Amino acid sequence: MTDQLVGVRGVRAVALGGSRARGTHRPDSDVDLGLYYDRGSLDVDALAALARRWVGGRVDIAPPGDWGPWVDGGAWLSVDGVDVDWILRDVDRVLEQCQRARAGEFAFFAQPGHPFGFLDVAYAGEVANAMPLEDPDAILAGMRALLTPFPAALRSALLRNLWQVDFLLDGAAKGAKRGDVAYVALCASHAVMLIAHAWHGAAGEWAVNEKGLVLNVDRLTIDSRGFTGSATAILQNLGSEPAQLALAIHELRELPRPDSAAR
């Protein structure tokens, strides 16, 4: 399939991503293929024709931008009972995010399917974590070289961003007084996600998605001092009364956070 994909006009490289690239997949895990394309030259009709040949029927191809500003586009295929996802990635945009990661710059953006927000430099993380399958012009190899080792500037930036945790929890405390469970839960989960991102950065590990982000802190190569278990327990027991919510916020403030000395 990758031999054929890289023959489509505009497709410059193909990489295996997701859990199968990391070696953490289950037997029923999807096969995630990143299709790195040149902006303005991708032959979407040729992709659709190729997909039809593989699945034996019609496949809808979402063109660039059709799935939102950051998830871009692609298609869902089922080949011999295996789910195969084609994920489009604009080469120029990915390179831009690789350079931003090296400079210690990042931001989160609203994106359907990403309740916390899409981390822009996740594009860089995808390249760093992926397994190149077709890279005839060494595009992926060049970007991976920019990201090895994990950029020290990005690590520092993720740690500095922890100021937002207390800002969120200050707001949550006001909501707790009114028994506003939904608002407190939203602030609490966002605070936990920010700390989890910082733990990944401190360990020099790329985080590309909210899914599994908190759970994976427990698997990092540095001592996260029980963050995953503590955060999970707090979120499970927020309560609904003002006093219960206030206690949960206090416990969230006490969650272990990485510091500048973390490795």
Side-chain angles (χ1 to χ4, degrees), residues 9-249:
R9 178 171 54 83
V11 177
R12 301 288 303 281
V14 182
L16 177 69
S19 62
R20 291 188 179 273
R22 297 191 300 271
T24 59
H25 59 285
R26 303 183 310 272
D28 61 343
S29 293
D30 296 352
V31 175
D32 296 322
L33 295 181
L35 278 56
Y36 291 80
Y37 69 91
D38 279 335
R39 188 179 306 168
S41 66
L42 181 64
D43 190 340
V44 176
D45 290 337
L47 281 179
L50 178 58
R52 283 195 300 273
R53 291 199 295 273
W54 275 96
V55 305
R58 175 185 172 84
V59 177
D60 292 323
I61 305 291
D66 213 42
W67 284 345
W70 287 94
V71 176
D72 209 352
W76 313 127
L77 285 66
S78 180
V79 181
D80 296 331
V82 178
D83 290 332
V84 180
D85 302 340
W86 291 357
I87 309 298
L88 300 181
R89 288 290 181 258
D90 178 330
V91 168
D92 289 340
R93 200 173 188 198
V94 173
L95 178 57
E96 177 187 1
Q97 296 309 320
C98 291
Q99 294 167 337
R100 278 172 50 77
R102 278 177 59 88
E105 300 171 357
F106 71 91
F108 293 95
F109 293 88
Q111 167 65 47
H114 287 263
F116 178 69
F118 189 91
L119 176 63
D120 55 5
V121 297
Y123 281 1
E126 290 174 346
V127 171
N129 288 339
M131 180 186 301
L133 300 177
E134 292 287 343
D135 190 22
D137 301 317
I139 291 172
L140 297 178
M143 290 191 287
R144 286 163 69 91
L146 294 174
L147 306 169
T148 307
F150 188 91
L154 181 59
R155 174 182 174 276
S156 297
L158 288 165
L159 293 175
R160 289 195 303 271
N161 195 52
L162 285 171
W163 70 267
Q164 289 197 44
V165 172
D166 292 306
F167 192 89
L168 280 165
L169 296 179
D170 287 345
K174 296 178 182 179
K177 294 176 182 178
R178 299 190 298 273
D180 190 344
V181 177
Y183 179 70
V184 172
L186 187 62
C187 291
S189 62
H190 273 58
V192 167
M193 289 288 179
L194 287 171
I195 301 174
H197 271 291
W199 275 116
H200 279 77
E205 295 284 346
W206 293 94
V208 299
N209 199 300
E210 306 99 319
K211 290 185 291 186
L213 183 67
V214 174
L215 296 177
N216 287 336
V217 171
D218 204 32
R219 304 185 182 105
L220 296 175
T221 56
I222 59 175
D223 180 12
S224 58
R225 306 195 300 279
F227 167 81
T228 295
S230 297
T232 301
I234 296 168
L235 292 177
Q236 285 177 330
N237 298 284
L238 287 178
S240 58
E241 298 299 323
Q244 295 172 315
L245 296 171
L247 176 60
I249 293 166

